[in-house]
Amino acid sequence: MLTSITEGILCCLTGKAASLVLPLESSEPSNGFEFVEVKPGRVLRVRHIVPERQPVVTEDQMSSGKKKTKVDSNEDDGGSEDVMKGPPKGSSVHCKRKITVYRNGQLVIENLGDVLHSEILQCQDGDLEPCSTVEVELADYKELASSPEPHPMPPRVPPHAGDQKPAPPPRRRRRKPKRTVLIDSKRAISSCKGTQSDVALFFVHGVGGSLDIWGSQLDFFSRLGYEVIAPDLAGHGASKAPPIAAAYTFYALAEDLRAIFKRYARKRNILIGHSYGVSFCTFLAHEYPDLVHKVVMINGGGPTALEPSLCSIFQLPSCVLHCLSPCLAWSFLKAGFARQGAKEKQLLKQGNAFNVAPFVLRAMMSGQYWPEGDEVYHAELTVPILLVHGMCDKFVPMDEDQRMAEILLFAFLKVIEEGSHMVMMECPDTVNTLLHEFFLWEPDMSKTESIKCDTETKATTNDIVQTLRVNKTVDK
């Protein structure tokens, strides 16, 4: 503690940031670790474990993997060349969605395509303890009134009305939508096994973490034959730490991960993000919908746009944060884990979590600005998504992940009772089982087909109208 205070005072006097995390001396691949220069002078450490197989996706395939979205237009999109030539056998799901945004901040989502009713089952060989996971089953969407406006209040009758007639109810005024987004596409959803050569898993950590927090998951899935890729964000783990704050904005980090994704992507890629890393997975899934097969969001929070908090402790000068670093590490241990015993302290140390320079931590928290990542942005995703939430999480409340499950088209929410924010470190067996079953899952569309073949009147059961209120302020 005294050393931290002394270094913090020297930092204030010299005007320089505290010592930054630098990459390891050796850049040769060792034990699955590589150092990738995403930009000149910007080097990230990546753990890459791959069986000796898989052809590499070309740059032309990457550029053609953009999703077409129609905005305020009824014209048909021109069919772009599908990058997944000869896709594996699986269920083809018709994703048809209409998203309407009104000027009062109201959002109306209509799902007009196939509706998935399949459940994610537990692996037969899973070591789940009884009642260790709680299944939060989202109720089927109900069709609401077509008008997004609330019902008018009944007219107020004066106490002594006499012969006066009650005033007629106010007439509803039709509101013109501010923006309309139409999505009409088909997605092939198949089981992803480790033995399949076109599958790759990407693991993205959050603020203050490193690729080491995924140690249990990387070992587990690599043993099953999966190709796994896990980078250290800039300034984290053993990645290089640029000395300017602009290097840690959301857009700068997103471009880093885009470069990593383009380097290692296969035909079917699964993105697994934790906390702030979920936003980068959402970004990549939105940019490359034909290459991103499934997404896992672990304690990611709500779907509203990222904005830095102006009243946060991380707005303090870097030298002050350096003095407070032992307190911050203790606070993170207390809030990030359901229990704070010797095991949790050892996990925090082994995972190299919250072991970043104060300057990097401050720049990361101040750079969380992503106005495009609002509810509409998330509602446009057509990829199946598994949401994992630790019940004891003190950083992300439960209702935020529930909100995310309501917004997303194909979402499954799993709650782990004994887990907290670092649930993948606290409950690795449970998380690994959930993730593996999700990777192997593919939808059973037999119910949807029987509905389609029944009568035309029953086709309305696939119509989903959901009225939502946009919350503009979310503290991630």
Side-chain angles (χ1 to χ4, degrees):
M1 180 70 177
L2 182 60
T3 305
S4 299
I5 296 175
T6 306
E7 292 179 356
I9 295 174
L10 292 175
C11 172
C12 292
L13 294 176
T14 58
K16 297 181 180 180
S19 58
L20 303 181
V21 181
L22 297 176
L24 301 177
E25 295 180 0
S26 175
S27 60
E28 295 295 328
S30 176
N31 195 23
F33 290 96
E34 303 174 5
F35 284 93
V36 180
E37 190 174 26
V38 293
K39 289 182 180 179
R42 195 173 174 98
V43 181
L44 303 184
R45 181 181 68 155
V46 179
R47 188 174 184 189
H48 182 209
I49 305 175
V50 54
E52 296 181 359
R53 46 181 173 79
Q54 293 110 329
V56 180
V57 177
T58 62
E59 291 290 332
D60 294 337
Q61 289 176 323
M62 295 297 304
S63 60
S64 64
K66 298 281 184 178
K67 178 179 65 177
K68 294 221 174 202
T69 303
K70 298 185 293 180
V71 179
D72 290 330
S73 172
N74 294 324
E75 297 179 2
D76 293 335
D77 291 330
S80 60
E81 183 180 359
D82 188 6
V83 297
M84 293 179 63
K85 294 181 180 179
K89 293 181 180 180
S91 299
S92 180
V93 180
H94 186 196
C95 305
K96 190 174 182 181
R97 205 170 212 199
K98 181 180 179 182
I99 307 168
T100 307
V101 184
Y102 291 86
R103 298 188 181 278
N104 65 344
Q106 217 160 21
L107 188 70
V108 175
I109 301 177
E110 298 176 67
N111 294 337
L112 308 174
D114 297 332
V115 182
L116 297 184
H117 297 281
S118 302
E119 295 294 335
I120 304 177
L121 303 178
Q122 295 181 358
C123 287
Q124 295 180 356
D125 56 349
D127 294 327
L128 285 176
E129 299 178 1
C131 300
S132 62
T133 45
V134 178
E135 175 75 26
V136 180
E137 185 178 1
L138 297 177
D140 292 339
Y141 294 100
K142 297 180 181 179
E143 185 172 352
L144 304 177
S146 58
S147 173
E149 298 181 3
H151 296 289
M153 296 294 292
R156 184 180 178 182
V157 181
H160 302 287
D163 296 331
Q164 294 180 358
K165 296 181 179 180
R171 297 182 63 182
R172 282 189 189 176
R173 196 173 55 177
R174 256 189 184 179
R175 296 180 180 175
K176 295 183 179 180
K178 179 181 178 182
R179 183 161 65 111
T180 301
V181 179
L182 301 176
I183 300 172
D184 192 351
S185 63
K186 284 193 175 181
R187 172 176 287 276
I189 305 174
S190 60
S191 173
C192 296
K193 300 179 181 179
T195 55
Q196 295 169 338
S197 61
D198 62 343
V199 176
L201 310 182
F202 288 81
F203 293 84
V204 184
H205 67 82
V207 178
S210 72
L211 63 84
D212 298 322
I213 67 172
W214 301 109
S216 298
Q217 287 70 46
L218 298 179
D219 294 341
F220 177 80
F221 288 106
S222 62
R223 287 197 303 268
L224 292 177
Y226 285 94
E227 179 179 4
V228 295
I229 301 98
D232 277 333
L233 297 180
H236 291 68
S239 292
K240 190 173 182 179
I244 56 174
Y248 304 97
T249 63
F250 173 84
Y251 297 101
L253 297 172
E255 289 303 316
D256 290 348
L257 292 175
R258 185 204 294 271
I260 296 296
F261 184 76
K262 291 175 68 175
R263 180 184 178 94
Y264 298 104
R266 305 300 176 189
K267 286 186 178 180
R268 292 184 296 160
N269 304 279
I270 301 178
L271 309 179
I272 304 98
H274 171 251
S275 193
Y276 190 27
V278 168
S279 298
F280 301 111
C281 293
T282 303
F283 170 80
L284 292 175
H286 203 277
E287 290 290 303
Y288 303 103
D290 292 333
L291 291 176
V292 176
H293 201 65
K294 295 174 182 177
V295 176
V296 178
M297 300 180 175
I298 302 178
N299 291 331
T304 51
L306 293 174
E307 292 183 1
S309 176
L310 298 178
C311 300
S312 172
I313 188 176
F314 298 104
Q315 297 299 324
L316 296 172
S318 301
C319 54
V320 178
L321 290 178
H322 190 82
C323 297
L324 299 176
S325 56
C327 299
L328 294 175
W330 178 83
S331 300
F332 181 81
L333 174 66
K334 193 170 182 62
F337 291 87
R339 302 177 182 86
Q340 295 82 43
K343 176 184 175 182
E344 285 71 27
K345 292 180 181 179
Q346 185 66 21
L347 286 174
L348 192 65
K349 184 178 180 180
Q350 290 177 352
N352 200 20
F354 218 75
N355 185 25
V356 297
F359 169 78
V360 174
L361 185 62
R362 183 176 185 270
M364 288 282 289
M365 299 301 293
S366 301
Q368 295 187 52
Y369 178 69
W370 186 34
E372 293 85 0
D374 56 5
E375 294 191 345
V376 177
Y377 190 92
H378 288 79
E380 290 177 336
L381 294 176
T382 60
V383 59
I385 296 176
L386 172 65
L387 299 165
V388 179
H389 184 88
M391 181 67 77
C392 303
D393 192 348
K394 297 180 182 178
F395 291 110
V396 178
M398 177 67 184
D399 56 356
E400 287 194 19
D401 276 331
Q402 289 178 331
R403 173 73 169 173
M404 181 74 87
E406 294 173 359
I407 291 288
L408 298 171
L409 181 60
F410 301 138
F412 303 89
L413 176 59
K414 299 287 183 175
V415 180
I416 301 179
E417 284 187 332
E418 68 273 21
S420 185
H421 192 66
M422 308 300 290
V423 64
M424 64 282 186
M425 301 177 70
E426 294 175 296
C427 314
D429 295 336
T430 303
V431 172
N432 292 344
T433 302
L434 289 177
L435 267 60
H436 190 211
E437 188 58 37
F438 180 61
F439 299 164
L440 299 179
W441 168 83
E442 65 180 63
D444 179 11
M445 301 306 297
S446 58
K447 296 182 181 180
T448 304
E449 293 298 329
S450 62
I451 292 175
K452 288 182 179 179
C453 298
D454 193 358
T455 58
E456 294 183 358
T457 56
K458 289 185 179 181
T460 55
T461 57
N462 287 339
D463 296 338
I464 305 169
V465 180
Q466 187 182 10
T467 305
L468 304 161
R469 178 70 59 180
V470 177
N471 183 10
K472 295 298 180 181
T473 56
V474 168
D475 183 13
K476 270 201 172 185

